[in-house]
Amino acid sequence: MINYPWGDQTPYYSFNWYLKQNYNHPVRKVTVDAGFTCPNRDGTVTTGGCTYCNNDSFNPSYNDRRKSLRWQIDQGIDFLSRRYGSEKYMVYFQPYSNTHAPLEELRQLYEEALQVPDVIGLTIGTRPDCVDEAKLDYLAELGRQFDVTIEYGLESISDTTLQRINRGHDVKAYETAMRMSAERGLKTCTHIIIGFPWEEETQWLETAAYLSEQKTTFLKVHQLHVVKNTAMAKEYQRMPFHVFGYEEYRQFLLKFIARLSPEIVLQRLAGEAPPNILIAPKWNVQMGSFIKDFRELCRQENIWQGKDYKP
Ligand code: SF4
């Protein structure tokens, strides 16, 4: 039996294991929609949004921006405690860019969330070009009392791709945000999409080495989804392009995690989108089965996170 550096028998450093190691109670994230928009939609940077983006693809049912923040947190806690027996919570500001407002407004929202009983921290999803010194200073201050993670969408390590998908920022913006966050001791999570049809496997594998160098605390990886009501869906319908098959993606992921630093905690290995908006790829596999199958594949192939990592 292999003794992995993170200390359990899962062949990669899973978020569940990280939570078990760091908290005395079962912890879950409660997702909220705090009514933000995004600089890539409201014209601050550009309009139209990223070509693949449809925020309906990641909202749980208890998220409703017309309802108060407190209502959403209470509903989320009620659901998660009954379903998973969780006892403590991180409020996850997920849809759109959750630092895209004046600092005073952010302060009010974040602190309202932190006052809810059993909430122990925040995860704040945003764009790398949507933070500044003052906002990060404030988050670092909160981070001394609570568990605070800032989550940056990078999506690709290629500036050409970032232009092509209308991200409205470059890789350098991500590096700057990561440096500013690290200087303040903030935990970071990076979101990356694998499978843009003009990219190649070598580039995706380089992404593992790149993210290891950037020392992101957490990582979310997911396969490209084509979802309804996006510019990418129109491109796909005009001229269908290759998307990952289930087996193909699993085989890719083996190589990817092998090149990844064993210190990065994997929060997500694949994405899910609601069937009513997903156009491709349609794997018809529940996330629980995906994870179970992938762990089994790692064991069969004798692969684990960091096996081929070269610092
Ligand atoms: S993916 Fe994020 S940055 Fe891009 S348009 Fe959607 S909310 Fe905005």
Side-chain angles (χ1 to χ4, degrees):
M1 202 171 265
I2 294 175
N3 210 2
Y4 299 120
W6 42 90
D8 80 339
Q9 291 303 311
T10 306
Y12 55 86
Y13 194 173
S14 73
F15 189 47
N16 274 348
W17 179 247
Y18 169 88
L19 291 174
K20 273 191 196 136
Q21 292 297 292
N22 286 279
Y23 302 98
N24 298 325
H25 303 267
V27 178
R28 286 262 163 185
K29 283 192 203 168
V30 182
T31 306
V32 292
D33 183 337
F36 287 94
T37 177
C38 136
N40 220 15
R41 291 178 171 274
D42 71 0
T44 310
V45 173
T46 175
T47 53
C50 305
T51 61
Y52 57 85
C53 172
N54 174 345
N55 270 269
D56 288 343
S57 52
F58 40 69
N59 263 1
S61 55
Y62 53 80
N63 279 182
D64 181 346
R65 56 173 47 207
R66 292 163 306 181
K67 299 274 172 55
S68 71
L69 185 63
R70 181 62 194 255
W71 184 90
Q72 293 182 56
I73 297 173
D74 287 344
Q75 292 293 307
I77 288 180
D78 183 54
F79 171 76
L80 295 168
S81 61
R82 278 189 288 114
R83 180 140 185 192
Y84 303 106
S86 43
E87 292 172 9
K88 301 285 174 193
Y89 303 89
M90 312 245 187
V91 175
Y92 181 20
F93 290 81
Q94 183 181 31
Y96 300 96
S97 301
N98 294 275
T99 54
H100 185 42
L103 180 53
E104 263 324 297
E105 229 173 275
L106 299 179
R107 192 187 288 272
Q108 233 174 325
L109 275 173
Y110 300 159
E111 289 178 22
E112 185 183 341
L114 287 167
Q115 276 163 16
V116 178
D118 296 324
V119 168
I120 55 167
L122 304 176
T123 296
I124 299 160
T126 193
R127 292 164 52 90
D129 61 351
C130 205
V131 290
D132 57 30
E133 303 269 348
K135 287 176 186 170
L136 291 176
D137 281 345
Y138 167 65
L139 291 178
E141 188 189 309
L142 274 188
R144 283 189 271 281
Q145 234 187 311
F146 299 96
D147 194 305
V148 177
T149 299
I150 184 143
E151 182 174 308
Y152 295 118
L154 170 61
E155 319 310 356
S156 169
I157 60 166
S158 154
D159 278 338
T160 309
T161 294
L162 295 183
Q163 275 171 15
R164 208 158 159 178
I165 60 174
N166 197 38
R167 271 299 289 179
H169 68 75
D170 55 12
V171 175
K172 191 152 183 291
Y174 167 77
E175 290 173 1
T176 305
M178 288 294 284
R179 179 184 44 73
M180 285 163 56
S181 306
E183 282 167 1
R184 290 163 173 80
L186 279 163
K187 288 187 212 166
T188 50
C189 181
T190 303
H191 187 274
I192 200 93
I193 298 175
I194 303 290
F196 292 112
W198 53 86
E199 292 189 344
E200 292 179 353
E201 187 177 274
T202 44
Q203 198 173 336
W204 300 328
L205 294 177
E206 278 165 26
T207 304
Y210 174 82
L211 293 168
S212 304
E213 256 172 53
Q214 290 297 315
K215 298 195 186 310
T216 184
T217 322
F218 305 108
L219 177 61
K220 287 182 173 175
V221 190
H222 84 72
Q223 76 280 23
L224 177 67
H225 277 150
V226 182
V227 291
K228 288 181 185 165
N229 303 323
T230 61
M232 193 164 277
K234 288 196 189 112
E235 282 172 35
Y236 186 80
Q237 269 145 0
R238 226 179 13 249
M239 193 179 292
F241 47 77
H242 180 74
V243 289
F244 269 112
Y246 179 65
E247 190 50 36
E248 185 190 12
Y249 185 70
R250 289 187 342 134
Q251 292 296 332
F252 161 75
L253 211 50
L254 278 180
K255 296 180 222 166
F256 183 89
I257 65 157
R259 285 163 174 79
L260 195 66
S261 161
E263 289 179 8
I264 296 176
V265 180
L266 282 161
Q267 286 203 7
R268 192 190 292 158
L269 291 167
E272 278 183 302
N276 59 329
I277 62 163
L278 179 63
I279 296 173
K282 292 204 168 185
W283 294 347
N284 296 322
V285 177
Q286 298 285 323
M287 192 47 63
S289 309
F290 177 91
I291 289 170
K292 196 164 154 269
D293 286 359
F294 182 66
R295 289 180 182 181
E296 192 46 43
L297 182 66
C298 289
R299 288 185 193 107
Q300 278 164 16
E301 301 294 328
N302 196 29
I303 295 286
W304 62 90
Q305 183 180 342
K307 185 181 181 189
D308 300 329
Y309 169 62
K310 294 184 190 70

